[in-house]
Amino acid sequence: MHLITENEVYKRESEEKFSLKELITLKLPEPVTYTKEDYDWYMTVALEKVDKVTQDRNLLTSKLILEYRWAIREGYNHQLDTALKNRYDYPRNQNTVKGIQSYIERIKKASDEEMKALEVES
């Protein structure tokens, strides 16, 4: 395994050098392993935004990071976040734990509204 990066929140490794497929170990509160496929840019963006958080990093749990990844994916795929136009865009939230939590809640709410609208149409 080739170490890509490691900090107190996560460790990124790949089997092949310069591969986009990675094995990510989210460390808090207990280690959780996530296999990031080469097409999974949502997790890359989530980790890059997590790196910008400077306070309360102990609150960056595996659950929060995986929910953030989900929110980025939903925000892009269902056009719930107009700031996400391509894989090089970032969600527009503050670089804090509270900002990440607020973003997740906003996308969950928009996703729920979208699902309710689909049910009404059916």
Side-chain angles (χ1 to χ4, degrees):
M1 292 296 251
H2 298 278
L3 180 65
I4 298 170
T5 187
E6 183 172 12
N7 59 36
E8 72 277 13
V9 178
Y10 65 85
K11 177 179 178 180
R12 293 171 68 180
E13 301 174 290
S14 67
E15 285 187 25
E16 300 173 22
K17 207 170 189 175
F18 308 116
S19 171
L20 295 176
K21 185 173 181 177
E22 300 174 8
L23 186 65
I24 299 170
T25 304
L26 304 170
K27 297 180 178 181
L28 301 172
E30 296 293 323
V32 172
T33 302
Y34 176 84
T35 302
K36 184 185 93 53
E37 298 297 333
D38 54 356
Y39 56 82
D40 187 2
W41 60 270
Y42 319 105
M43 181 57 100
T44 303
V45 169
L47 293 177
E48 288 174 358
K49 286 287 280 187
V50 161
D51 285 344
K52 294 179 181 187
V53 174
T54 57
Q55 297 177 340
D56 300 323
R57 289 182 61 81
N58 60 310
L59 300 177
L60 294 168
T61 63
S62 55
K63 182 177 187 283
L64 182 71
I65 294 170
L66 291 172
E67 284 179 351
Y68 194 36
R69 181 226 172 256
W70 171 86
I72 293 167
R73 180 180 175 275
E74 287 295 299
Y76 175 75
N77 286 339
H78 295 272
Q79 299 170 346
L80 302 175
D81 182 352
T82 57
L84 297 175
K85 293 182 177 66
N86 61 54
R87 64 187 304 165
Y88 304 106
D89 291 329
Y90 288 92
R92 302 289 184 245
N93 60 276
Q94 293 180 345
N95 296 327
T96 62
V97 172
K98 187 173 176 125
I100 290 172
Q101 292 167 334
S102 297
Y103 183 80
I104 293 167
E105 288 305 313
R106 188 179 69 179
I107 296 298
K108 276 184 184 176
K109 183 179 176 188
S111 179
D112 289 345
E113 288 172 4
E114 180 186 46
M115 294 307 291
K116 286 178 186 172
L118 289 173
E119 289 174 4
V120 171
E121 290 177 9
S122 301

